[in-house]
Amino acid sequence: MRRSLRSLLVATAAASLVVPLWAGTAANAEPPGFSHADKDTLRNQAPRDLAIGSAVWAQRDLLSYDPAAPTELQRVLGAQFSSVTPENDMKWDAIHPAPDVYDFASADALVAFAEANGQEVRGHTLLWHSQNPAWVTAASSTWTCDDARAVLEDHIRTVVGHFKGEIYEWDVANEIFQDNWDAGGVRLRTEANPFLRACADDPVALIGDAFRWAHEADPDAVLFLNDYNAEGINEKTDAYYDLAQRLLADGVPLSGFGAQGHLSLLYGFDTSIQANFERFAALGLKVAVTEADVRIPLLDGETGPTPAQVAEQAARYDAMLEACLNVPACSSFTVWGFPDANSWVPAVFPGEGWATIFEDDFSPKPAFDVMLASLRDATPGISPRRG
Ligand code: 9MR
């Protein structure tokens, strides 16, 4: 089991003054079966026990996994990354398709892949306004808060309990705040989220209990709030900062804050990500970049981005990674899948793309090279740019 291996190695390192604390921790351990030539990888260059992850949609890409004959995607995923996040396989519509039916098949396949490749698993996600099954949407129109609480509690206890000991970080609450461009501005999603809507009189109590149920089901998992547009210090992250303080004051087992990191070159880059991470870390929370990608506006008729766009993309990926490297509480840095052909971006943002760190033939982009160099240059627990 990944986490117990990590604890064991840290304990062993602590007991021996000869073995540095970062050496051989589970997150950076070499996957079985890889040759020396594969050692120059993101996972093996990561400092301290920083997990370097990717999302993968197990239903599409891992069900047919044969360790003796991996697909190119599976080979790269195993070689480069020490953590995997199910892109869709643990979401409500996939894992709880009917009131009394839980389907763990593809999520279990992801956990099995991770174990075969010496990887940890980030769980995603338990309370969200999107990708809920039709039965939830239909039933929620008549839910009382007690009804919603009963459904959510059963789901969280069942799903987190199923994976107990297998998942090091869970995105418990995902995208629970609106954006400042939404009607009503930045506030909890008590309209779009069916659970928060049913408990709109006191949504914070429901959120707190979601964390409590998850913690009771797996006391060792680090439990995250997670959102987009949550990289820098802004109105939304101010709201999260206030919520985190309130939850912690109430004794809620909140233990992480995740910035998804979905960036676009259409917009400027907010350089306050490190300062934002530092304020959440000061509350005693882990922080993480959970879904990094950097999409590029592509002109009609062009087959790819310009050299300047490629360089800017690499700089933004690296800036997010550097913020993580510079904050010791940053526990994981995850990219949201690869290669570009698998990216969610073109379907949602027509005219934008080329967002991942691998081209469709799996060759690494400059963003990959720059991040690999930053990981290699980082000393354990501290980034070289920190002085
Ligand atoms: O990448 C996911 C895509 O395959 C799904 O169709 C989509 C459905 O909403 O969700 C995508 O992942 C999202 C993640 O779960 C939460 N943050 C935003 C991600 C991109 O939309």
Side-chain angles (χ1 to χ4, degrees):
M1 209 167 285
R2 303 309 310 152
R3 192 175 47 239
S4 51
L5 175 60
R6 180 196 282 242
S7 319
L8 181 68
L9 287 163
V10 170
T12 307
S16 160
L17 295 176
V18 180
V19 183
L21 197 62
W22 67 92
T25 55
N28 304 332
E30 196 173 330
F34 286 89
S35 71
H36 184 72
D38 292 313
K39 280 194 170 171
D40 202 18
T41 61
L42 299 176
R43 66 183 294 170
N44 285 313
Q45 297 299 327
R48 48 185 165 93
D49 59 353
L50 174 65
I52 303 293
S54 175
V56 61
W57 188 357
Q59 174 76 38
R60 182 188 58 201
D61 293 319
L62 298 183
L63 289 186
S64 63
Y65 179 54
D66 172 0
T71 64
E72 187 62 2
L73 183 143
Q74 292 163 352
R75 195 194 65 75
V76 174
L77 184 66
Q80 295 292 343
F81 299 97
S82 56
S83 170
V84 283
T85 304
E87 185 170 352
N88 292 301
D89 309 275
M90 290 185 191
K91 292 173 179 173
W92 271 77
D93 61 353
I95 214 162
H96 196 170
D100 298 321
V101 178
Y102 285 91
D103 180 354
F104 295 109
S106 69
D108 283 348
L110 178 134
V111 172
F113 179 89
E115 289 190 348
N117 288 276
Q119 297 169 312
E120 300 186 287
V121 179
R122 280 198 98 252
H124 177 84
T125 180
L126 301 167
L127 172 61
W128 192 24
H129 64 279
S130 188
Q131 279 178 286
N132 288 312
W135 71 268
V136 164
T137 307
S140 66
S141 64
T142 57
W143 275 349
T144 63
C145 181
D146 281 347
D147 294 335
R149 287 174 57 83
V151 172
L152 186 63
E153 179 174 1
D154 173 71
H155 179 89
I156 289 177
R157 288 192 190 280
T158 304
V159 173
V160 178
H162 178 85
F163 296 108
K164 183 174 189 289
E166 308 283 1
I167 292 193
Y168 72 116
E169 296 177 348
W170 259 113
D171 290 331
V172 174
N174 193 44
E175 302 171 6
I176 54 172
F177 278 103
Q178 297 189 161
D179 292 286
N180 57 8
W181 56 81
D182 289 326
V186 174
R187 58 175 175 74
L188 288 169
R189 282 190 203 270
T190 49
E191 285 152 23
N193 185 308
F195 301 95
L196 299 184
R197 184 172 60 234
C199 297
D201 288 344
D202 191 356
V204 176
L206 180 72
I207 294 163
D209 282 341
F211 280 85
R212 289 190 176 96
W213 297 324
H215 183 64
E216 284 172 23
D218 189 350
D220 291 334
V222 181
L223 305 180
F224 275 71
L225 294 163
N226 187 54
D227 213 325
Y228 62 86
N229 192 21
E231 291 72 43
I233 293 178
N234 59 35
E235 201 181 336
K236 198 187 214 180
T237 54
D238 283 350
Y240 271 106
Y241 187 65
D242 290 347
L243 176 67
Q245 287 179 298
R246 182 168 163 194
L247 293 172
L248 293 170
D250 288 347
V252 170
L254 164 69
S255 40
F257 175 77
Q260 292 180 0
H262 293 296
L263 305 185
S264 169
L265 293 197
L266 286 176
Y267 310 108
F269 180 65
D270 187 336
T271 55
S272 62
I273 178 167
Q274 183 175 331
N276 190 39
F277 275 176
E278 282 169 345
R279 68 174 171 164
F280 282 96
L283 297 178
L285 302 182
K286 295 289 187 192
V287 295
V289 176
T290 56
E291 306 182 13
D293 53 21
V294 182
R295 55 189 193 269
I296 295 180
L298 301 169
L299 297 174
D300 280 351
E302 295 291 324
T303 53
T306 66
Q309 287 175 318
V310 172
E312 177 62 15
Q313 180 188 61
R316 292 207 188 181
Y317 266 110
D318 193 45
M320 289 193 279
L321 177 60
E322 282 291 342
C324 182
L325 289 170
N326 286 342
V327 179
C330 188
S331 51
S332 61
F333 178 94
T334 293
V335 297
W336 203 240
F338 66 88
D340 289 333
N342 282 349
S343 171
W344 66 288
V345 165
V348 177
F349 297 101
E352 294 181 74
W354 218 75
T356 81
I357 62 173
F358 290 101
E359 302 226 34
D360 286 340
D361 65 359
F362 295 94
S363 57
K365 298 179 184 177
F368 171 95
D369 297 332
V370 169
M371 289 199 292
L372 182 65
S374 290
L375 291 169
R376 192 189 295 120
D377 292 347
T379 52
I382 196 164
S383 160
R385 292 189 199 171
R386 205 180 185 204

